[in-house]
Amino acid sequence: MFNFTPTTASIPPANNTLRLKPLPNALPNYQPLSPLAFILRAALIYPEKIALIHTDVPFPVAYNFATWAQRIQNLAYALIKFGIKPGDSVAILAPNCPMIADAHHGVIAARAIVTPINTRLKPSEVAYILDHSQAKLLLVDHEYLHLVEGTTVPMIISKDTGRMDDPYEVFLAEGRYFSKEAGWQGLDTEPDENASAVLCYTSGTTGRPKGVITSLRGNYLAALANAFEGRMDRHSTYLWILPMFHAAGWTFPYANVFSFATQVTLRTVNYTHIWNHILRSGVTHYCAAPTVQIGIVNDPQAQQPKQSVTAIIAGAAPTAHLIAELEKKGIKPVHFPSAIRETYGPFTRNYEQESWGPLSLDDRARLMARQGHAFATAEEVRVVYQQENESDPLQDVPRDGKTMGEIITRGNIVMKEYFRDPDATRKAFAGGSFHSGDLAVMHADGSVAIMDRSKDIIISGGEVRLYPNLAGSTLTYPESMQNASSLAIEQELVTHPHVLEASVVARPHVKWGERPMAFVVLHPQHAASWHGRHQTFASELKAHAKTRLPGFACPEWVEVVPELPKTSTGKILKTELRKIVAKL
Amino acid sequence: MFNFTPTTASIPPANNTLRLKPLPNALPNYQPLSPLAFILRAALIYPEKIALIHTDVPFPVAYNFATWAQRIQNLAYALIKFGIKPGDSVAILAPNCPMIADAHHGVIAARAIVTPINTRLKPSEVAYILDHSQAKLLLVDHEYLHLVEGTTVPMIISKDTGRMDDPYEVFLAEGRYFSKEAGWQGLDTEPDENASAVLCYTSGTTGRPKGVITSLRGNYLAALANAFEGRMDRHSTYLWILPMFHAAGWTFPYANVFSFATQVTLRTVNYTHIWNHILRSGVTHYCAAPTVQIGIVNDPQAQQPKQSVTAIIAGAAPTAHLIAELEKKGIKPVHFPSAIRETYGPFTRNYEQESWGPLSLDDRARLMARQGHAFATAEEVRVVYQQENESDPLQDVPRDGKTMGEIITRGNIVMKEYFRDPDATRKAFAGGSFHSGDLAVMHADGSVAIMDRSKDIIISGGEVRLYPNLAGSTLTYPESMQNASSLAIEQELVTHPHVLEASVVARPHVKWGERPMAFVVLHPQHAASWHGRHQTFASELKAHAKTRLPGFACPEWVEVVPELPKTSTGKILKTELRKIVAKL
């Protein structure tokens, strides 16, 4: 089917001991939690099973768990030989490919910090992250060298070939040679389960990106939760659509290995490749943000797969419409929303109820679009507001499905800190919980439903008052639903069969202060029929909205656009839409 | 279908806060691991789902998660009102029933130690455990009062009715009243995840029973592993055949709740009730030792269930024959062997391989009967022997499938200690690992296969030498397979279609030192045909054995018996068989 040609340095010796070096004076009944345990177990129990497949490239490769574990070990030794010390940051600038998958395990095997960098950033932003993270080494994919011209950080370049002459493979081979075949027993085990493991930067749409530090313990527990909640096991095949650099792949680099799943890496979000793998590589699981999911279900190649496929939706709130569309394609949507870097990715899950069974697909999808409850190994999720007196504790909103507050959480899958930024850490952890910046309501069943990011709310009439404790900034707090949730409006706009995607932002209004403006992308099948008649469509869509939304929430303006501005991870850039609005 | 009449004290108030009281100065990113989190999540997310069903009694009850969580809270308050302090031991003497299920959660909610006592013990043994555990209170089922006559430990008696006038229900109602509706926020959260959670006593076939103490962290991690490895979820229904008092139900009292599974409690191992529940209550999972599994598959009511049923086999090594029989009945056997109190129950699992697919059921069952590899959250499992020089570290046996050594393990799912027994703790933890006392070989694939308990090996020729480091005693170590593994012999005897069960022990032999003697129970369908001709059958079975075993391993003697002596948990009492042999 494809080449399977690991370099000689990747082939493990017959007497390979797949066990971490015992800690000095280790207690018989305590082992620091570390996701590094997963690759060792997988290589021991399923050595011949395919761990990693990378095919849509000129030099396809596949590694079984035994070989992959050896490559990870080689990487750890190579880093140590290079001079990486425990606690050092090792940056990775790469799309989904074996190198970044290796790094998630190999870097922590060297007791260093995995620091993946978003490949869609500008050179100046990459430079800022390299500097701020104090990266000692950069593992960089050949396609992204232009982003790091002139950097003083030493680099190892991967041509993503897996061949002997690839500089990354030479680096691994040097690691193997340097190891003198001491194997895993030659690598020191990290004694502290709270040691820093991964450093991911926020996209920094406002201000400088912040570095989110997560721990070994947190990654271990979040990975277990993702594997359990996703019902993954050794029969699973996970397709890497979500970039691994994005919040370190929501701990799926570890959850997949814990489950003994096969991972398929895709360098780009290419719908032909995606459908090819879903229909022909037996993919059972993938993660993607809602906008990418929209692209997947609307692709002309979409058809019902033979196997059961679970689509893990996170990164932003999906519309009920999208959930229904996925189900129609035979893909089981699981909503692990509220996925943010600061919580290792998902920290809530929408838990389906038996009582939803008899509901219509539309009604059920509306319930499934809620963010739900705290995840398996997460602790409490609360929706709170600040009381009159700022020194009073945060108050939970009533469970009425309409009073908005901010989602806060705490527990083992909350980040350690913002790296080298005690001020931001202190603000984010105000009152002993992590402030997500998501505005939400709590329903009677205790489930949360995000209404908006705090910065996206539209103050369209209604009372407002100051809500000073939202994460890191002073914002107005909407007292009632008279203030329109942009997400609630988007949910309804996309129910129009000719709308592919919609994004709503606030636009100043003389009478109301603010009113909603919608940017919509037409469905490819219907775009031609509205060609030259976008104003007519705008009127039709406004009429459609009036049948489904209260007056104050109906968009005052509708603009048909060919596409929406998005981040590399598929999040809609409302900041760009606001810039457009500002010029109107 | 059945009564569902919780007492008024069991009905939660509408504004119930299902959240632990925050620890003073709690970090936003750290929460001590505790299985208490599970019942709160279940009651929050699936309040109406049936948590616990107890039907095969005069007063059947069923509780949903909301009600059950309230009962657990009531129990915690009742214990505190009674005077139970953090770290106190609360003993439970009961069969599988709501009280013992409640206690696994309610006692830790009061920060006390769950101390379940085996109901098959003699009064003197129960008295010893009550005394040794320093139990401050005993929750006792009315049927077992005769075991605790004259005890000075205060008692709360359950009549297992769930009715208002049941003394246990009165106790719970007092707890509710005492709580003044302060709810979960009125109970102090245990700040130390390594705090003692459960105290279980070994059966003490040799010497006094030992008290095995496990921690909150260990129970949390072991429960996650059991839920993940068992592929449990909210659609699961777990049948309590294994007594909950046995190694605290292998953490399934917690794993079931973590999974949001429904639990069905059975007071006794009654095959009519078992098959009734498998066929009519939608049971998807149960745990049982091999001898009980034999009873289940051979029961005349056995038939293929409609739903998928996973039988978790642990507690003793199953024969390949049993595994094949379960599969024939449409029950999926999962072998979580090496389940001992000191490891929270299972710590290895037999991981099936793709390559076993084409094998015959018999061959596959042989591979599945192996104990396999370390469990999801367990650390390393090794098979070791003592080198010549006792100060040298323990040596791993070669992966040859024939050199025997002792299984040792370490990590987060190894007990804290033997309660009030530092000497036994020190011995069990010699060299920094827990010594299981199981003799095993390691196969080329790194999987372990138990050959015998160290005391069950038959020294039938071959070299022997002293192996002084086996847990707690000086034993001879068999250098080669010339020493017959009683389990290997039993594996072959039960392949005879007329044999229901077999147990083999050593019997002194003038020439060979020891030779195997087999005690066999005939299959009910064939017992009549051999009536009065047991000697003939013995000859036939010896001939059968000769075709499958090397000469030194063939039983020299075969005794047909109506039944085998067993512990309450279904483990065959080889000590009793040895007493019979001693008198021959």
PDB file of all heavy atoms in Angstrom, chain A residues 392-405:
ATOM      1  N   ASP A 392     -16.585  40.347  47.280  1.00  0.00           N
ATOM      2  CA  ASP A 392     -17.423  39.170  47.512  1.00  0.00           C
ATOM      3  C   ASP A 392     -17.035  38.062  46.535  1.00  0.00           C
ATOM      4  O   ASP A 392     -16.532  38.331  45.450  1.00  0.00           O
ATOM      5  CB  ASP A 392     -18.905  39.526  47.308  1.00  0.00           C
ATOM      6  CG  ASP A 392     -19.430  40.415  48.436  1.00  0.00           C
ATOM      7  OD1 ASP A 392     -18.766  40.480  49.486  1.00  0.00           O
ATOM      8  OD2 ASP A 392     -20.480  41.046  48.242  1.00  0.00           O
ATOM      9  N   PRO A 393     -17.295  36.818  46.949  1.00  0.00           N
ATOM     10  CA  PRO A 393     -16.937  35.732  46.016  1.00  0.00           C
ATOM     11  C   PRO A 393     -17.807  35.784  44.758  1.00  0.00           C
ATOM     12  O   PRO A 393     -18.885  36.381  44.761  1.00  0.00           O
ATOM     13  CB  PRO A 393     -17.209  34.458  46.816  1.00  0.00           C
ATOM     14  CG  PRO A 393     -18.104  34.859  47.940  1.00  0.00           C
ATOM     15  CD  PRO A 393     -17.867  36.307  48.199  1.00  0.00           C
ATOM     16  N   LEU A 394     -17.325  35.134  43.715  1.00  0.00           N
ATOM     17  CA  LEU A 394     -18.084  35.075  42.461  1.00  0.00           C
ATOM     18  C   LEU A 394     -19.387  34.333  42.718  1.00  0.00           C
ATOM     19  O   LEU A 394     -19.438  33.365  43.470  1.00  0.00           O
ATOM     20  CB  LEU A 394     -17.256  34.335  41.402  1.00  0.00           C
ATOM     21  CG  LEU A 394     -15.977  35.056  40.997  1.00  0.00           C
ATOM     22  CD1 LEU A 394     -15.093  34.143  40.160  1.00  0.00           C
ATOM     23  CD2 LEU A 394     -16.288  36.331  40.232  1.00  0.00           C
ATOM     24  N   GLN A 395     -20.432  34.795  42.075  1.00  0.00           N
ATOM     25  CA  GLN A 395     -21.760  34.241  42.302  1.00  0.00           C
ATOM     26  C   GLN A 395     -22.160  33.370  41.106  1.00  0.00           C
ATOM     27  O   GLN A 395     -21.988  33.794  39.950  1.00  0.00           O
ATOM     28  CB  GLN A 395     -22.738  35.414  42.449  1.00  0.00           C
ATOM     29  CG  GLN A 395     -24.125  35.027  42.863  1.00  0.00           C
ATOM     30  CD  GLN A 395     -24.164  34.569  44.322  1.00  0.00           C
ATOM     31  OE1 GLN A 395     -23.412  35.053  45.151  1.00  0.00           O
ATOM     32  NE2 GLN A 395     -25.025  33.604  44.601  1.00  0.00           N
ATOM     33  N   ASP A 396     -22.691  32.181  41.373  1.00  0.00           N
ATOM     34  CA  ASP A 396     -23.172  31.358  40.264  1.00  0.00           C
ATOM     35  C   ASP A 396     -24.453  31.958  39.697  1.00  0.00           C
ATOM     36  O   ASP A 396     -25.313  32.422  40.454  1.00  0.00           O
ATOM     37  CB  ASP A 396     -23.442  29.927  40.753  1.00  0.00           C
ATOM     38  CG  ASP A 396     -22.160  29.209  41.111  1.00  0.00           C
ATOM     39  OD1 ASP A 396     -21.646  29.396  42.249  1.00  0.00           O
ATOM     40  OD2 ASP A 396     -21.646  28.480  40.260  1.00  0.00           O
ATOM     41  N   VAL A 397     -24.586  31.901  38.375  1.00  0.00           N
ATOM     42  CA  VAL A 397     -25.834  32.380  37.769  1.00  0.00           C
ATOM     43  C   VAL A 397     -26.937  31.380  38.100  1.00  0.00           C
ATOM     44  O   VAL A 397     -26.670  30.214  38.363  1.00  0.00           O
ATOM     45  CB  VAL A 397     -25.719  32.515  36.225  1.00  0.00           C
ATOM     46  CG1 VAL A 397     -24.660  33.528  35.841  1.00  0.00           C
ATOM     47  CG2 VAL A 397     -25.448  31.163  35.575  1.00  0.00           C
ATOM     48  N   PRO A 398     -28.193  31.824  38.111  1.00  0.00           N
ATOM     49  CA  PRO A 398     -29.276  30.857  38.294  1.00  0.00           C
ATOM     50  C   PRO A 398     -29.334  29.905  37.092  1.00  0.00           C
ATOM     51  O   PRO A 398     -28.910  30.254  35.992  1.00  0.00           O
ATOM     52  CB  PRO A 398     -30.534  31.732  38.376  1.00  0.00           C
ATOM     53  CG  PRO A 398     -30.152  33.043  37.790  1.00  0.00           C
ATOM     54  CD  PRO A 398     -28.671  33.205  37.987  1.00  0.00           C
ATOM     55  N   ARG A 399     -29.860  28.715  37.343  1.00  0.00           N
ATOM     56  CA  ARG A 399     -29.955  27.713  36.267  1.00  0.00           C
ATOM     57  C   ARG A 399     -31.212  27.978  35.445  1.00  0.00           C
ATOM     58  O   ARG A 399     -32.131  27.152  35.425  1.00  0.00           O
ATOM     59  CB  ARG A 399     -30.018  26.319  36.859  1.00  0.00           C
ATOM     60  CG  ARG A 399     -28.752  25.898  37.553  1.00  0.00           C
ATOM     61  CD  ARG A 399     -28.888  24.457  37.941  1.00  0.00           C
ATOM     62  NE  ARG A 399     -27.660  23.958  38.539  1.00  0.00           N
ATOM     63  CZ  ARG A 399     -27.440  22.667  38.770  1.00  0.00           C
ATOM     64  NH1 ARG A 399     -28.368  21.778  38.448  1.00  0.00           N
ATOM     65  NH2 ARG A 399     -26.316  22.269  39.304  1.00  0.00           N
ATOM     66  N   ASP A 400     -31.234  29.112  34.773  1.00  0.00           N
ATOM     67  CA  ASP A 400     -32.462  29.501  34.076  1.00  0.00           C
ATOM     68  C   ASP A 400     -32.295  29.500  32.558  1.00  0.00           C
ATOM     69  O   ASP A 400     -33.228  29.838  31.820  1.00  0.00           O
ATOM     70  CB  ASP A 400     -32.930  30.879  34.558  1.00  0.00           C
ATOM     71  CG  ASP A 400     -31.866  31.949  34.351  1.00  0.00           C
ATOM     72  OD1 ASP A 400     -30.840  31.650  33.710  1.00  0.00           O
ATOM     73  OD2 ASP A 400     -32.057  33.070  34.830  1.00  0.00           O
ATOM     74  N   GLY A 401     -31.095  29.161  32.085  1.00  0.00           N
ATOM     75  CA  GLY A 401     -30.889  29.131  30.631  1.00  0.00           C
ATOM     76  C   GLY A 401     -30.884  30.498  29.992  1.00  0.00           C
ATOM     77  O   GLY A 401     -30.863  30.590  28.762  1.00  0.00           O
ATOM     78  N   LYS A 402     -30.910  31.558  30.790  1.00  0.00           N
ATOM     79  CA  LYS A 402     -30.884  32.878  30.156  1.00  0.00           C
ATOM     80  C   LYS A 402     -29.973  33.912  30.817  1.00  0.00           C
ATOM     81  O   LYS A 402     -29.555  34.850  30.151  1.00  0.00           O
ATOM     82  CB  LYS A 402     -32.297  33.432  30.008  1.00  0.00           C
ATOM     83  CG  LYS A 402     -33.059  33.535  31.301  1.00  0.00           C
ATOM     84  CD  LYS A 402     -34.486  34.011  31.041  1.00  0.00           C
ATOM     85  CE  LYS A 402     -35.183  34.242  32.371  1.00  0.00           C
ATOM     86  NZ  LYS A 402     -36.525  34.758  32.234  1.00  0.00           N
ATOM     87  N   THR A 403     -29.641  33.714  32.093  1.00  0.00           N
ATOM     88  CA  THR A 403     -28.749  34.692  32.725  1.00  0.00           C
ATOM     89  C   THR A 403     -27.304  34.372  32.353  1.00  0.00           C
ATOM     90  O   THR A 403     -26.821  33.279  32.615  1.00  0.00           O
ATOM     91  CB  THR A 403     -28.888  34.655  34.258  1.00  0.00           C
ATOM     92  OG1 THR A 403     -30.262  34.792  34.591  1.00  0.00           O
ATOM     93  CG2 THR A 403     -28.082  35.774  34.896  1.00  0.00           C
ATOM     94  N   MET A 404     -26.657  35.352  31.756  1.00  0.00           N
ATOM     95  CA  MET A 404     -25.300  35.076  31.306  1.00  0.00           C
ATOM     96  C   MET A 404     -24.270  35.370  32.375  1.00  0.00           C
ATOM     97  O   MET A 404     -24.423  36.273  33.196  1.00  0.00           O
ATOM     98  CB  MET A 404     -24.990  35.909  30.070  1.00  0.00           C
ATOM     99  CG  MET A 404     -25.392  35.172  28.807  1.00  0.00           C
ATOM    100  SD  MET A 404     -24.553  35.842  27.380  1.00  0.00           S
ATOM    101  CE  MET A 404     -25.753  37.032  26.872  1.00  0.00           C
ATOM    102  N   GLY A 405     -23.213  34.626  32.323  1.00  0.00           N
ATOM    103  CA  GLY A 405     -22.064  34.847  33.190  1.00  0.00           C
ATOM    104  C   GLY A 405     -20.844  34.302  32.477  1.00  0.00           C
ATOM    105  O   GLY A 405     -20.927  33.895  31.312  1.00  0.00           O
TER     106      GLY A 405
END
